[in-house]
């Protein structure tokens, strides 16, 4: 038996720690994912408003230099997903409300922040283009595990917390 990596016991006791989920797990339905996204639109709007206010105040304090950060606002949805999906609970606030989380399908392991950000970016690229969005949805309808195209590209799955 191999020795666990340093700090392994501390991670097991960390608040919000969820052990890897043995798969196959109960996959999330497309309806549940859609409803979670609709809820997330509201949370992203609130996050964007807070970000806008913070940048506006920073701009006043820095005599206008901070206002260059307004260029970050279009990426607020990607930032929101990176922070929430890449965090301890592995889900956006909308996903949490519906009992969903994002995992690596083979192991049930957590998703890192960079992968979560790319996952969100691919989703927003697909949803902004009608043809790509249709192809993305067709993957989910055709597959038994309901993984969408952007899930398959990154090797992720959305499952019920269980």
């Amino acid at each position: 038996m191999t020795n666990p990596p340093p700090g392994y016991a501390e991670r097991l006791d960390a608040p919000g720690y969820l052990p890897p989920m043995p798969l196959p797990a109960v996959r999330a339905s497309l309806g549940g994912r859609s409803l979670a996204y609709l809820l997330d639109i509201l949370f992203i709007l609130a996050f964007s408003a807070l970000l806008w206010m913070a940048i506006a105040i920073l701009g006043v304090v820095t005599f206008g230099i901070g206002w260059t950060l307004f260029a970050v606002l279009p990426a607020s949805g990607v930032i929101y997903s990176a922070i929430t999906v890449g965090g301890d609970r592995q889900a956006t606030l909308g996903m949490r409300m519906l009992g969903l989380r994002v995992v690596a399908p083979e192991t049930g392991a957590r998703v890192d922040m960079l992968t979560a950000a790319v996952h969100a970016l691919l989703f927003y690229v697909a949803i902004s283009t009608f043809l790509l969005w249709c192809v993305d949805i067709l993957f989910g309808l055709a597959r038994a595990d309901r993984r969408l195209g952007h899930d398959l590209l990154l090797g992720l799955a959305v499952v019920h917390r269980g």
Side-chain angles (χ1 to χ4, degrees):
M1 185 167 150
T2 61
N3 292 330
Y8 183 75
E10 290 82 10
R11 281 185 273 152
L12 292 177
D13 297 334
Y17 172 77
L18 294 170
M21 186 175 219
L23 296 179
V26 178
R27 305 295 182 171
S29 68
L30 293 179
R33 290 181 71 166
S34 299
L35 183 57
Y37 175 65
L38 292 176
L39 291 168
D40 282 330
I41 288 174
L42 298 174
F43 294 121
I44 291 169
L45 180 63
F47 176 68
S48 297
L50 288 172
L51 194 58
W52 187 92
M53 289 186 340
I55 292 171
I57 292 169
L58 183 66
V60 170
V61 171
T62 61
F63 301 108
I65 294 172
W67 290 332
T68 58
L69 291 174
F70 277 121
V72 172
L73 277 180
S76 60
V78 174
I79 295 167
Y80 165 81
S81 293
I83 292 169
T84 55
V85 172
D88 289 337
R89 295 192 179 163
Q90 302 171 259
T92 63
L93 296 175
M95 288 178 173
R96 286 184 212 170
M97 292 173 77
L98 294 172
L100 306 176
R101 69 178 178 145
V102 180
V103 297
E106 297 83 21
T107 62
R110 286 186 50 202
V111 177
D112 62 287
M113 280 194 179
L114 180 61
T115 305
V118 172
H119 186 252
L121 182 64
L122 289 176
F123 170 74
Y124 288 120
V125 166
I127 206 167
S128 67
T129 313
F130 182 74
L131 183 61
L132 286 176
W133 179 69
C134 289
V135 170
D136 200 29
I137 296 297
L138 283 175
F139 272 103
L141 293 172
R143 295 180 55 95
D145 61 5
R146 296 296 182 231
R147 290 170 65 195
L148 300 177
H150 64 281
D151 298 332
L152 294 171
L153 283 173
L154 292 173
L156 301 176
V158 179
V159 298
H160 285 280
R161 280 191 179 272

